[in-house]
Amino acid sequence: MRGSHEAKNESGEQNIHVVKDVIVNPAGTNGTRFLLTTIGFEVTTGEGRRELESKDVQVRDMLNSILTSKDLTTLVNADEREPLRQEISQKVGDCSEAVR
């Protein structure tokens, strides 16, 4: 997962898999708050991007599980973003070796 960097292979193909419109209720909000986010994964190859696209349901389920386990304070705290990125990358990386 990267910020605004674009990963391209030799042929100029973008190797980013984007999961758009992930909507979850953070822990402890009793459904009164929601988080809407888009998450991009930098992958090693175009094949890896296609692999993640084929596993979109599993990836969304992982993201849902991770994000709903966090409370609102954790999700908005800038100091918690890198550990959250690492947790997401590790769990999605377990699903696909193509994730960087």
Side-chain angles (χ1 to χ4, degrees):
M1 250 176 20
R2 300 273 175 151
S4 61
H5 299 133
E6 289 188 16
K8 294 185 179 183
N9 63 16
E10 300 80 37
S11 64
E13 180 180 328
Q14 188 173 355
N15 288 330
I16 304 269
H17 173 65
V18 178
V19 182
K20 293 183 179 181
D21 300 333
V22 178
I23 303 171
V24 298
N25 296 110
T29 62
N30 296 321
T32 60
R33 302 277 182 139
F34 70 92
L35 169 72
L36 169 63
T37 188
T38 296
I39 300 175
F41 296 95
E42 183 177 350
V43 294
T44 54
T45 63
E47 177 71 25
R49 183 177 44 79
R50 288 184 288 279
E51 177 188 353
L52 275 183
E53 287 171 358
S54 73
K55 295 180 177 182
D56 189 63
V57 172
Q58 293 96 324
V59 171
R60 284 181 175 278
D61 184 58
M62 281 183 235
L63 293 172
N64 186 44
S65 295
I66 294 166
L67 296 172
T68 57
S69 72
K70 308 297 181 198
D71 62 23
L72 197 56
T73 304
T74 301
L75 292 170
V76 299
N77 185 343
D79 293 335
E80 295 293 330
R81 289 189 186 146
E82 189 56 34
L84 182 59
R85 282 185 186 114
Q86 291 174 0
E87 180 180 355
I88 291 170
S89 291
Q90 187 265 323
K91 290 196 176 168
V92 174
D94 290 347
C95 173
S96 170
E97 294 181 11
V99 176
R100 288 188 187 171

